[in-house]
Amino acid sequence: MPIAFDKATNAITLSTVSSTYQMQVDRFGNLLHLYYGRRTEGCMDYLLTYADRGFSPSPYDAADDRTYSLDALPLEYPCEGVGDFRSPVLSVRDGRGAFGCDLRYRGHEVVDGKYGLPGLPAAYGADESDGAQTLRIMLSDERLGLEVTLLYGVLPKIDVITRAAILQNVGGQTLAIEKAQSACLDFVSGDFDVLSFNGRHAKERTLRRSAVDHVSQVVSSRRGMSSHQYNPMMILCDTDATETSGRCWSMSLVYSGDFKGEVERGQYDQTRMQLGLSDERFSYPLAPGESLVAPEVIMTFSNDGLDRLSQNLHECIARHVCRGEYRDVPRPVVINSWEATYFDFTGADILSLARSAADLGIDMLVLDDGWFGARDDDSRALGDWRVNEAKLGSSLAEFVGRINALGLRFGLWFEPEMVNENSDLYREHPDWALAIPGKPPVLGRSQLVLDFSRADVRENVFEQVCSVLDQANVEYLKWDFNRSIADVYSATAKGQGAVLYDYVLGLYDFLERLIARYPHLLIEGCSGGGGRFDAGMLYYAPQIWCSDNTDAYERLSIQYGTSFGYPASAVCAHVSACPNELNGRVTPLETRAAVALAAGGFGYELDLRKLSEAERDEVREQVRLHREIDALVRQGRCHRLSDPLAEPVAAWSFVSADGASALVEAVVPLAEANAPTRCVRLRDLTPGSLYRDRSSGAVYPADALMDAGLPLPLEPGDYRSYVIRLERVK
Ligand code: DGJ
């Protein structure tokens, strides 16, 4: 059984195929964290050490035992005000405003299946054969009238343990929840590195690795979205961990708003890692009878390095977070109009782009920004979701009919959470935008954010979006979000510290209604590229536009960083024109395609009508190749074969579940005169077998490919790329 309780030791143990997680209820009813690591048996309370430590105080009920201090013990859900002075996971103020919460164990229960969360996305168990179980641990502080249920979901076959918490006010006073993280891991000793994924617009999820020291390290968003700047996912690992060796632990937040992740090495060299909601701009008033859900964190452990860790996360997100009919099937190859025309188009332009795309074998035209209201530039009309029939030259139904008649499906861009001051919606309902009375609002791309914490605001936008979708055969929706939330004030909020959290719940409520009403719609997430690339959004949209940066070279490090926490099936990547619109770089069409082909959402984002005949032939070939390798990319095991930030070759591979086929891709960004041989060492092939290169017919021993590697051709020219397809022949 994945979850077991041992009465003799009061230990609760969670087991997956390769990992063990253990807690213990101690003699005072405090819940201690004992262990999270490789699979083992027994009770790990031998790891607890006790000593009379100066300035580490003792709880009142242990006061005659000065060796007992929560400041020195590994804790499962540490609270502020109990004598543990590390960064707390829970901070609560009572009706008088005093800080302090003392949670004690009251009981636990185990049920089959994986829990869900009310109003929030959460990983789900696929079916009974995955053996998922849920553990609920009930804690409470009777003085406060606060009950906390710690939720643990175990997906044993993929080495995943999830955590969440539900806080319920069962007393008579309103409590203020000042901080409520979802998961915490305390290690009693060890030297670790922390891996985080930071960036900016057009440079998302760049890997950073640094030593954990006596300086608190924080990844967070205070932008109202998970953000380009930090991804809500982090990894702790042994200082010498590599792709294929060493212990690593990860936490990924299934949430799309402000978050905070912390790693702190304490005074006794213990390490605490925690992740959850941000405590900035957050103070949640919890009235008697009310509950607050701390969103889910997906955790996994690998004893065999980062590659294994990522496999677990890929599997979890692709099969236990993403939903809907597009989860497991090929996605349409799209031509997206944005970098082809921006706002400057007529219906006739889009139809001729579609004609050009149909001739290349592309499946779908996605009409990006500019099709509604008076939206001829980015200063107006957000909020007015009415088709601009004058611009399209017909009704949407007729227009889509013409696209469909060309053999193409049709998709449409929306940015439902936004409003321009220059819009009919804003003129009618200025109070629907998030703005602080008396303070001129901060503008981002000339737009304001609608108050999605309000049901009436959501309802209006929902009706508008549905009325467009109901007019025509729209099969794809790109959901964009193009600014950070700076001003937080909602006219109807129960407390302003609750607005950002309730906003995210409002967003999820909208998305849930949308997918219930349009179950066949494929939703692509987007936020100025990859500013909201998180497991929360992936619950509603199985693919997300990875970055506005479509340059093949910079995409190498963006997609590399993304691959640590997210499967290729979740990534959207398009081939765009050169010189690249953001950085002016010129790369071969072949290489732009090689990089974009490593994504589940493949397509083009350029004016196809400007391609030469030779380039058009190349594109036809790329689309054909995509169809052949697509299943391998979306469903195969993805391996990072080099670090593009540090090595002269960027290389990665996808290997089918049965090991029978492999796709190896490599890019050599800078050519060198008289260059040394560059060998790419492969991984995950079937030992003892032979693999044949489908293009050249050359046959290689698998073990040699994994040991000495595969030499890349020595060719002149920058940004050369290689797409090598191997099949097992013996
Ligand atoms: C930002 C997105 O990332 C782009 O792809 C495009 O959709 C624009 N917004 C449109 O305004």
Side-chain angles (χ1 to χ4, degrees), residues 74-309:
L75 305 176
E76 191 61 23
Y77 201 69
C79 304
E80 183 160 57
V82 289
D84 168 28
F85 294 94
R86 291 164 287 182
S87 181
V89 160
L90 183 67
S91 172
V92 182
R93 289 208 280 164
D94 64 19
R96 295 186 190 89
F99 288 92
C101 175
D102 187 358
L103 292 177
R104 304 291 172 111
Y105 170 86
R106 306 293 169 208
H108 73 269
E109 61 186 29
V110 177
V111 290
D112 285 341
K114 163 75 176 60
Y115 66 84
L117 294 175
L120 281 155
Y124 55 88
D127 54 44
E128 279 174 15
S129 72
D130 69 15
Q133 278 197 325
T134 292
L135 166 69
R136 290 196 190 94
I137 302 180
M138 279 70 81
L139 311 171
S140 72
D141 179 325
E142 280 169 7
R143 176 187 69 90
L144 290 175
L146 178 67
E147 282 183 6
V148 174
T149 304
L150 301 183
L151 291 161
Y152 297 78
V154 185
L155 298 172
K157 291 190 178 161
I158 57 168
D159 286 325
V160 160
I161 294 173
T162 66
R163 289 187 61 176
I166 300 180
L167 283 58
Q168 198 182 2
N169 186 340
V170 294
Q173 57 180 329
T174 293
L175 304 172
I177 310 300
E178 304 294 347
K179 184 178 183 187
Q181 298 284 82
S182 305
C184 172
L185 284 177
D186 272 359
F187 298 82
V188 292
S189 69
D191 294 323
F192 303 106
D193 282 350
V194 61
L195 276 61
S196 62
F197 302 89
N198 76 333
R200 54 181 186 265
H201 175 243
K203 194 76 178 169
E204 298 89 337
R205 293 173 297 288
T206 306
L207 170 66
R208 292 277 178 268
R209 181 169 181 160
S210 49
V212 175
D213 212 332
H214 293 272
V215 174
S216 176
Q217 285 165 304
V218 175
V219 294
S220 74
S221 168
R222 51 178 77 92
R223 292 170 177 269
M225 66 219 256
S226 48
S227 90
H228 302 84
Q229 286 71 16
Y230 289 104
N231 195 260
M233 133 65 183
M234 57 186 185
I235 298 171
L236 193 75
C237 64
D238 286 330
T239 51
D240 57 357
T242 66
E243 284 284 358
T244 53
S245 69
R247 299 176 304 159
C248 9
W249 299 258
S250 68
M251 287 187 179
S252 309
L253 189 62
V254 190
Y255 186 71
S256 310
D258 282 6
F259 72 92
K260 184 179 252 182
E262 298 168 65
V263 179
E264 178 188 18
R265 189 170 169 126
Q267 58 180 334
Y268 307 123
D269 284 350
Q270 331 99 309
T271 293
R272 172 169 293 172
M273 178 194 201
Q274 57 175 299
L275 182 61
L277 296 171
S278 173
D279 54 352
E280 296 179 43
R281 304 195 293 182
F282 179 83
S283 174
Y284 204 93
L286 202 62
E290 287 184 347
S291 304
L292 173 71
V293 181
E296 177 161 287
V297 164
I298 295 170
M299 303 190 301
T300 185
F301 167 77
S302 159
N303 195 42
D304 305 309
L306 297 159
D307 183 311
R308 178 80 253 159
L309 188 90

Side-chain angles (χ1 to χ4, degrees), residues 295-585:
E296 177 161 287
V297 164
I298 295 170
M299 303 190 301
T300 185
F301 167 77
S302 159
N303 195 42
D304 305 309
L306 297 159
D307 183 311
R308 178 80 253 159
L309 188 90
S310 294
Q311 303 302 330
N312 299 346
L313 286 172
H314 294 174
E315 190 61 21
C316 182
I317 288 182
R319 313 262 167 269
H320 298 271
V321 173
C322 292
R323 299 179 295 169
E325 65 185 48
Y326 281 97
R327 192 190 79 165
D328 299 320
V329 302
R331 322 272 168 72
V333 177
V334 306
I335 169 67
N336 179 296
S337 67
W338 181 241
E339 289 191 38
T341 63
Y342 296 102
F343 292 105
D344 187 16
F345 62 84
T346 62
D349 295 330
I350 299 298
L351 283 168
S352 89
L353 185 65
R355 222 167 279 121
S356 187
D359 176 54
L360 297 172
I362 288 170
D363 302 312
M364 174 180 275
L365 180 129
V366 177
L367 181 55
D368 211 283
D369 201 350
W371 56 267
F372 54 94
R375 184 81 170 168
D376 286 328
D377 59 44
D378 66 10
S379 71
R380 68 188 84 184
L382 288 173
D384 298 342
W385 300 106
R386 291 185 304 274
V387 179
N388 185 340
E389 296 187 349
K391 191 166 179 177
L392 288 191
S394 70
S395 70
L396 187 66
E398 285 165 319
F399 185 74
V400 177
R402 286 191 196 114
I403 301 268
N404 290 165
L406 294 168
L408 253 62
R409 298 160 71 194
F410 182 78
L412 208 49
W413 178 96
F414 285 89
E415 196 176 0
E417 298 153 81
M418 298 291 166
V419 67
N420 287 114
E421 285 176 300
N422 186 0
S423 68
D424 294 340
L425 186 75
Y426 186 79
R427 281 183 281 273
E428 211 175 314
H429 298 289
D431 58 315
W432 282 10
L434 288 171
I436 299 170
K439 173 184 181 295
V442 175
L443 293 173
R445 209 193 190 202
S446 310
Q447 62 200 53
L448 300 173
V449 185
L450 285 171
D451 184 357
F452 260 41
S453 71
R454 285 175 60 166
D456 55 345
V457 176
R458 296 198 300 273
E459 186 58 31
N460 176 292
V461 181
F462 188 77
E463 287 305 321
Q464 287 198 60
V465 171
C466 293
S467 100
V468 174
L469 296 180
D470 291 344
Q471 279 170 42
N473 184 21
V474 180
E475 299 182 72
Y476 185 105
L477 188 152
K478 179 174 173 184
W479 182 298
D480 210 343
F481 180 93
N482 280 307
R483 62 157 296 176
S484 311
I485 302 179
D487 296 294
V488 182
Y489 176 83
S490 170
T492 62
K494 56 182 175 191
Q496 298 308 321
V499 173
L500 286 174
Y501 175 84
D502 288 343
Y503 178 100
V504 177
L505 262 64
L507 165 67
Y508 293 151
D509 170 66
F510 191 120
L511 284 162
E512 194 65 48
R513 286 179 70 194
L514 195 68
I515 60 175
R517 180 154 162 172
Y518 303 100
H520 306 301
L521 188 68
L522 171 56
I523 302 179
E524 175 189 0
C526 177
S527 171
R532 207 159 56 179
F533 201 116
D534 56 67
M537 286 310 286
L538 286 166
Y539 190 68
Y540 306 95
Q543 57 182 47
I544 298 180
W545 182 228
C546 191
S547 175
D548 274 348
N549 191 334
T550 50
D551 166 52
Y553 173 65
E554 291 203 71
R555 267 288 179 125
L556 290 173
S557 53
I558 295 170
Q559 291 179 197
Y560 170 77
T562 305
S563 78
F564 280 83
Y566 303 94
S569 60
V571 172
C572 276
H574 295 167
V575 176
S576 65
C578 276
N580 182 269
E581 61 132 18
L582 291 184
N583 62 17
R585 182 174 285 110

